[in-house]
């Protein structure tokens, strides 16, 4: 009878109908008079259950191994003419009918929410439908039953001969060690130099073996067993080791220094299990990691593509199986409506947080693993959904006999009841493992105080908390366990430890006996593998099918990311148009030779560096790769191969369009073979660089190392490509790079392909001598390399041979080398992807700021206060005095947001108020609009339409409203380099009134630190979510920052307890209670509150999906007022239920249908309680208007402090942030110095030859690389800082001017240092002019370039919504600047359209103009013998006589000798002759510097305007 009893209990509490086969059938004619209403039915059934329990029948064992009554043999117990079995059947029938009605109602609600709000008439109509009787035979309206579905599936498996997988886990002496346990001092900028020059340690760190701290025990001496079909709950405070235990038990061992002890999965040790059955033990982490642009259906579909078993039930096809499982999972988690919605991320709108969590759960279930570890998986789910999830796990564990471990921070009693065993961990020690039903009694037996009203999981965790545990009367720390070691010792000496030992021994014997179970397991594992999969493989799909599935997924990822796709195409087309118009119809003359090389180089370079984004995406995508590797979805190498194939498909189309435009607009050789060779080489250049960047991404542990390596190698590739300095002029020790350089080989192929089919004509300006009287070509020579005396034709082959040392017969040899490099990079990529495992585990380290004398004194005071609190000596703080009596009211509050189909209403006619001294809870299902309501009330919304009245003391809030309220938001956004104390002081400095002394503000901050129990982390660096404070610590900081502002009016908190353990949650709510008692107005959303938590609240505002109010009013002691409201409307709460959870079930927040026939929103709208609420609001308004009256402040300040004070405080914090970000400053300096040294080495000690003139210009051209180096770093930094600014400016802490100004000023020291580091090697290694007037000018202009690049990056960031979009603009900006500055195409050859405006507007025109003239002015030129042009003078004339008219008319160059037979001519005599044809003038250099500096001013103006008027924080 136990199964029926439990079912009735569940139906009573949750309204869950059950499968028909569970209903008693012995009485075919139920009593018509029984069960007239639901409450009566429940009462009578409960009464007879208790009074007449039938004897057990051994014929029917249940899933727990206990015995229940056989359905057919069950006697009908009758008392007073009423049959219990008849009552059960009747109740089940009624429950199913109500479920059907409820589902109809929910369907109507969903339809209504998609359109406009229902009218009153339509509401009445809906109500009528709910009252009509629905036939149970309407299968589409019946409640879907998970257990029945899964049992049916299991039976199909058995019928099809599919073996079951059952594996238990046994662990003995398990000890896990990691790095930590030391107080790490935060690194600052100078320390980056020290660590960098410590070469050995740097090398170790690159490969993840660097020293991070001393080794310590994370887990110590754990032992236990979990058998198939058992669910084990893991409890412990944050940081106690729950996550480590779950990872290690799921055989994810990476990131720990050592793991000792034995872990057996059935008969297999951990190494064997990892080698052959890795995917049979899986771990689901707290964070939801998905591809943001895929829909829910596509995410689960991909998982099934690689996990569909080879042998399927009923001969089902792969497609049918996939569809069936996806439908099952979506139904199981009530997310069918999201199948076509993208998952999204913080930067892309998608499904809600709770829905994303359910997708993570569903994805792991696809693995069909027999050992599952779930880490705090209910975080962010409401109580009802969390219980539904746990029940689903219970059903699956029972049916499929999986071994399930679950860690939960806030588990309710109902969730706790689903578990067989519980393990309690305290600071890495196992202090209990035994039956869940007996754990409470065990801890009470140890001497801990009984707390019958506290939920069991909270009680067990509380016993491990030194601040919260209480001892029974007569017991104390001296006579009871009081720390992790004594608790562990008590357990080892207990009866339960003995029972555990016996159970482990019995299970070991069972393993020896049950050979057939493990034979079935191995068979089942092989049955799960698809055709052609190797038997020894841990993967279900063969490698080629993994690649195919990944190709399909990769295509969807790229295709659905429409924004990136469109921007990428626009950039490509615009650049193609610019290139095509700049080099429009290149002439086949000597004047088109250099520019032809320029267009080929830019075409190759632009497409190759389109792949630079792969570096970031490879590193960002690591967590997904690590997760899928652990789930054995696919090999990492399959992903890299699939990615490159899909990338090639997308790139091929784009590059083809680009090639057609550029090739034919520029009038390159009109030959089909030449065009397709050009296209092929450009595509291979793109492929080679894509694979190169991915290889660097796989090799480097973090982005800073990747950027350093990429900067060096990219610079080397560009310098040795053959365009900036020809192969024969390179230093011999640099030439080898050419042979592994895709860019160099590609450029040589493009040049051979073009010039090998071309003959050039010598044009004016290249014939020497020329002018009046020089008409005989026999006495002239073309100065273009390859030109010969007496001919105007130059062979293209000869040109590239002499100028570049290229031989056109090498074209396909070089192409073959490119293909080899592509293959080598692909091999490296796949190999490194398989072997290196960065970011797949480990432990975060907390850093602290150095203690000075002030901090030492403050920390000492905090410790003393904590000791007094522990001894219960601390008195109530007198500083918690809130003087404001203001009341917030809201009436008819509606909120509509624009959607493609029109307007969607998220809040519907919400009424309520918050009074001083009252703590009001805001609750509801996930997606009910709780955060939306808080945002609206706190005046944080800037999208959509708000209607209704939000009033403070009866009038609309003034400009000071946001300053006078505090809003602790759900996301913990903080400046990551601050300490906790600094963050609180920053808030107090800017948000408390300016008149309050700093001493008083800082004293209050210490009070807040103490009240939030943050004494140990007061000087800890907050860090980011991946490395820094733990989730619960960050949550405390968020609340502390808002409290430090000392809000005068209101305190809003959005889920302050999510992600915390129950004790931390209780502490925070208890503190909120203190604040309320001191007179603070508080409105707080809350998820999964236990009874003890819930009773701290005075009032409740309960919302249901669609933003409708279900209840607003007092809660009452033991929730009596709230429960009475539900009772009188047809829903009775069981005495042992937690009202906070039950009410969510009652309104239909989870999978279970709501209780009662009528929508609870309708009930509220027609209730006397709503009428009373409206009357109270009216009364409050009139009272407060009367009280405040003439005392109301007229002059309301928007900000608490003056502008200069804001600038001072914000600037100080920003400078400190940069100082504590050593990688940011050092990476930038390193890149500058590295690029400058490489350029200096390439052009080391240039001589005075003719070629060196061009090379000096190319050295100067290296300065244009600075924006490319700087933008990639400055933009993400600005963007992250802006996210923090958005939060703080919403609270009116400071204006945008202090923010933007502080970002500029903080960059200055690093900009000056980087400019010096760049200038010294770049200027002095090639041997530039050392005169102080020249060198000083060059340094000044390089410094201006540095500042221009920084302000440009910040300006682009300020004008774009995210750094991702800013990054897409960068290549376009850098290419345009470099293209029109007069180097790649000289000014005279720029088409008139571009020359008239873009050449003049290009900042780098001034940079190049100023630097070139400063370097080349008055520099003598001495041609090398190979650079001399030889020609024969006319008969009877010496060379000097023949050339005299040429030189007299201003001709450049000089004669080497005054011979009569062969004249040797050098094209330039002095550097001025080289640059004058380009329109540069030495007299204009200071003018150019001034204009260039003015561009910094224009950047700053646009930056300030963008930061002031462009608000991308859409909410």
């Amino acid at each position: 009878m136990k199964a029926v009893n439990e079912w009735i209990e569940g139906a009573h509490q949750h309204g869950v109908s059950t499968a028909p086969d569970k209903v008693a059938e012995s009485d075919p004619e139920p009593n018509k008079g029984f069960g007239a209403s639901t409450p009566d039915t429940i009462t009578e059934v409960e009464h007879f259950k208790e009074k007449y329990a039938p004897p057990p029948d051994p014929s029917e064992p249940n899933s727990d191994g206990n015995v229940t009554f056989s359905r057919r043999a069950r006697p009908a117990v009758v008392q007073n003419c009423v049959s219990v079995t008849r009552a059960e059947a009747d109740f089940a029938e009624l429950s199913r009918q109500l479920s059907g009605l409820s589902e109809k109602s929910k369907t109507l609600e969903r339809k209504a929410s998609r359109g406009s709000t229902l009218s009153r008439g339509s509401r009445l109509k809906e109500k009528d439908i709910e009252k009509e009787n629905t036939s149970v035979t309407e299968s589409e309206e019946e409640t879907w039953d998970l257990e029945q579905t899964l049992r049916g599936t299991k039976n199909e498996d058995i019928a099809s001969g599919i073996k079951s997988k059952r594996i238990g886990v046994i662990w003995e002496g398990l000890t896990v060690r990691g790095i930590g346990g030391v107080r790490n001092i935060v690194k600052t900028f100078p320390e980056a130099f020290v660590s960098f020059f410590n070469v050995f340690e740097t090398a170790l760190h690159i490969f993840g073996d660097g020293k991070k701290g001393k080794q310590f025990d994370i887990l110590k001496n754990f032992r236990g067993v979990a058998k198939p079909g058992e669910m084990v709950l893991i409890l412990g405070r944050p940081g106690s080791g729950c996550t480590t235990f779950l990872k290690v038990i799921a055989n994810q061992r990476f990131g720990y220094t050592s793991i000792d002890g034995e872990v057996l999965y059935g008969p297999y040790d951990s190494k064997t299990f990892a080698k052959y059955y890795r995917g049979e033990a899986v771990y689901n982490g707290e964070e939801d990691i998905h591809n943001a642009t895929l829909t829910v259906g596509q995410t689960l579909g991909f998982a099934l593509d690689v996990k569909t078993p080879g042998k399927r039930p009923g001969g089902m096809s792969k497609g049918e199986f996939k569809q069936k499982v996806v439908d099952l999972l979506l139904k199981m988690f009530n997310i069918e409506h999201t199948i076509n919605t993208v998952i999204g991320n913080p930067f892309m709108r998608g499904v809600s947080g709770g829905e994303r969590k359910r997708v993570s759960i569903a994805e792991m279930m696809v693995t069909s693993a027999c050992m599952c570890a779930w880490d705090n998986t209910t975080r962010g789910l409401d109580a009802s959904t969390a219980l539904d999830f746990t029940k689903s796990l219970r059903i699956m564990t029972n049916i499929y006999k999986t071994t399930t471990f679950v860690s939960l921070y806030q588990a309710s009693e109902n969730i706790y009841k689903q578990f067989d065993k519980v393990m309690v961990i305290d600071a890495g020690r196992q202090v209990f493992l035994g039956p869940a039903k007996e754990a409470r009694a065990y801890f009470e037996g140890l001497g801990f105080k009984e707390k019958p009203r506290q939920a069991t999981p909270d009680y067990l965790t509380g016993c491990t908390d030194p601040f919260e545990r209480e001892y029974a009367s007569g017991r104390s720390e001296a006579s009871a366990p009081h720390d992790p070691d004594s608790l562990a010792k008590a357990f080892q000496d207990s009866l339960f430890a003995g029972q555990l030992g016996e159970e482990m021994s019995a299970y070991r014997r069972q393993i020896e006996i049950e050979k057939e179970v493990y034979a079935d397991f191995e068979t089942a594992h092989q049955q799960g593998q698809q055709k052609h999969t190797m038997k020894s493989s841990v993967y279900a799909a063969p490698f080629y099918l993994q690649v195919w599935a990944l190709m399909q997924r990769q295509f969807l990822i790229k295709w659905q990311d429409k924004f990136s796709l469109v921007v990428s195409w626009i950039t490509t087309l615009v650049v193609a148009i610019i290139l095509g118009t700049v080099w429009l119809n290149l002439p086949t003359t000597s004047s088109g030779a250099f520019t032809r090389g320029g267009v080929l180089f830019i075409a190759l370079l632009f497409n190759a560096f389109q792949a630079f984004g792969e570096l970031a995406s490879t590193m960002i995508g690591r967590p997904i790769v690590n997760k899928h590797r652990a789930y054995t979805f696919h090999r990492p190498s399959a992903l890299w191969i699939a990615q490159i194939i899909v990338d090639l498909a997308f790139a091929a189309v784009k590059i083809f369009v680009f090639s057609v435009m550029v090739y034919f607009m520029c009038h390159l050789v009109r030959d089909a073979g030449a065009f397709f060779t050009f296209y092929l080489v450009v595509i291979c250049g793109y492929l080679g660089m894509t694979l190169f960047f991915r290889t660097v991404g796989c090799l480097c542990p973090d982005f800073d190392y990747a950027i350093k390596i990429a900067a060096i190698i990219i610079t080397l590739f560009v310098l040795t490509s053959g365009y900036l300095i020809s192969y024969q002029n390179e230093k011999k020790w640099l030439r080898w790079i050419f042979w592994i350089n895709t860019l160099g080989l590609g450029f040589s192929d493009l040049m051979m392909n073009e010039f090998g089919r071309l003959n050039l004509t010598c044009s004016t300006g290249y014939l020497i001598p020329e002018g009046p009287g020089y008409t005989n070509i026999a006495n002239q020579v073309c100065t273009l390399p390859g030109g010969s005396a007496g001919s105007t034709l130059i062979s293209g082959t000869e040109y590239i041979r002499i100028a570049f040392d290229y031989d056109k017969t090498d074209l396909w040899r070089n192409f073959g080398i490119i293909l080899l490099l592509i293959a080598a990079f692909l091999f490296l990529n796949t190999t490194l992807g398989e072997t290196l495992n960065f970011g797949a585990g480990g432990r975060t380290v907390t850093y602290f700021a150095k203690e000075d004398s002030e901090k030492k004194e403050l920390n000492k005071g905090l410790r003393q206060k904590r000791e007094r609190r522990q001894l219960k000596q601390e008195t109530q703080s007198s500083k918690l005095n809130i003087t404001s009596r203001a009341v917030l009211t809201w009436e008819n509050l509606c909120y509509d947001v624009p959607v493609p189909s029109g307007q969607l209403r998220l809040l519907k006619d919400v009424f309520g108020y918050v009074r001083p001294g009252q703590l009001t809870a805001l609750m509801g299902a996930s997606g009910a609009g709780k955060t939306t309501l808080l945002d609206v009330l706190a005046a944080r919304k800037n999208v959509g339409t708000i209607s209704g009245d939000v009033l403070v003391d009866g009038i609309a809030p003034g400009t000071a409203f946001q300053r006078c309220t505090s809003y602790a938001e759900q996301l913990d956004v903080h400046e990551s380099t601050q300490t906790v104390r600094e963050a609180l002081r920053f808030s107090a400095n800017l948000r408390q009134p300016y008149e309050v002394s700093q001493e008083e503000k800082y004293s209050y901050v210490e009070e807040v630190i103490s009240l939030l129990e943050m004494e140990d982390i007061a000087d800890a660096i907050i860090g980011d979510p991946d490395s820094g404070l733990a989730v619960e610590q960050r949550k405390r900081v968020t609340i502390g920052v808002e409290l430090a502002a000392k809000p005068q009016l209101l305190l809003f908190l959005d889920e302050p307890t999510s992600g915390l353990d129950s004790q931390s949650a209780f502490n925070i709510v208890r503190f909120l209670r203190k604040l309320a008692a001191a007179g603070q107005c508080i409105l707080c959303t809350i998820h999964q509150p236990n009874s003890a938590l819930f009773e701290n609240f005075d009032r409740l505002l309960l919302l249901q999906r669609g933003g409708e109010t279900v209840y607003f009013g007092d809660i009452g002691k033991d929730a009596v007022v709230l429960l009475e409201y539900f009772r009188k409307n047809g829903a009775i709460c069981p005495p042992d239920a937690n009202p906070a959870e039950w009410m969510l079930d009652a309104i239909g927040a989870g999978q279970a249908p709501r209780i009662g026939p009528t929508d609870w929103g309708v009930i509220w709208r027609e209730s006397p309680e709503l009428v009373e609420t409206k009357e109270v609001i009216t009364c409050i308004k009139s009272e407060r208007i009367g009280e405040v009256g003439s005392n109301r402040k007229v002059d309301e300040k928007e900000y608490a402090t003056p502008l200069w004070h804001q600038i001072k405080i914000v600037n100080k914090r920003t400078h400190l942030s940069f100082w504590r970000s050593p990688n940011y400053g050092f990476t930038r300096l390193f890149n500058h110095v590295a690029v400058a040294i490489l350029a200096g080495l390439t052009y080391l000690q240039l001589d005075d030859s003719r070629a060196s003139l061009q090379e000096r210009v190319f050295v100067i051209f290296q300065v244009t690389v600075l924006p490319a180096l700087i933008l990639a770093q400055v933009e993400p930094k600005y963007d992250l800082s802006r996210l923090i600014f958005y939060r703080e400016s919403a609270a009116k802490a400071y204006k945008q001017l202090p923010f933007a100004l502080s970002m500029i000023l903080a960059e200055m020291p690093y900009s000056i240092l980087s400019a010096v580091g760049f200038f010294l090697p770049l200027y002095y290694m090639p041997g530039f002019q050392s005169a102080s007037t020249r060198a000083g000018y060059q340094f000044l202009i390089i410094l201006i370039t540095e500042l221009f690049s920084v302000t440009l990056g910040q300006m682009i960031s300020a004008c774009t919504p995210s750094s991702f979009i800013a990054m897409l603009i960068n290549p376009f900006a850098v290419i345009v600047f470099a293209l029109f500055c007069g180097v790649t195409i000289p000014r005279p050859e720029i088409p008139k359209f571009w020359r008239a405006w873009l050449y003049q507007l290009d900042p780098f025109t001034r940079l190049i103009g100023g630097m070139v003239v400063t370097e080349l002015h008055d520099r003598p030129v001495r041609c090398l013998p190979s650079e001399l042009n030889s020609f024969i003078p006319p008969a009877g004339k010496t060379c000097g006589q023949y050339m005299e008219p040429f030189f007299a008319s201003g001709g450049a160059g000089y004669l080497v000798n005054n011979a009569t037979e062969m004249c040797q001519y050098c094209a330039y005599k002095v550097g001025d002759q080289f640059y004058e044809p380009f329109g540069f003038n030495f007299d204009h250099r200071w003018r150019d510097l001034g204009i260039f500096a003015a561009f910094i001013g224009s950047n700053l103006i646009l930056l300030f305007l963008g930061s002031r008027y462009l608000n991308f924080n859409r909410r």
Side-chain angles (χ1 to χ4, degrees), residues 507-526:
Y507 187 63
R508 286 183 191 274
R509 290 193 296 273
Q510 191 179 334
I511 290 172
E512 295 299 320
I513 298 165
E514 290 183 335
K515 300 290 184 187
E516 76 286 349
V517 170
Y518 303 108
D520 284 354
F521 169 76
E522 289 172 14
T523 307
H525 179 72
Q526 287 177 6

Side-chain angles (χ1 to χ4, degrees), residues 1316-1342:
V1316 172
F1318 186 77
F1319 168 76
L1320 292 174
L1322 188 79
Y1323 194 80
Y1324 289 106
M1325 286 174 75
F1328 275 27
Q1329 297 204 31
S1330 56
S1332 58
T1333 52
R1334 302 289 177 94
Y1337 177 91
Q1338 302 285 42
F1339 172 70
L1340 196 57
I1341 206 161
I1342 284 175

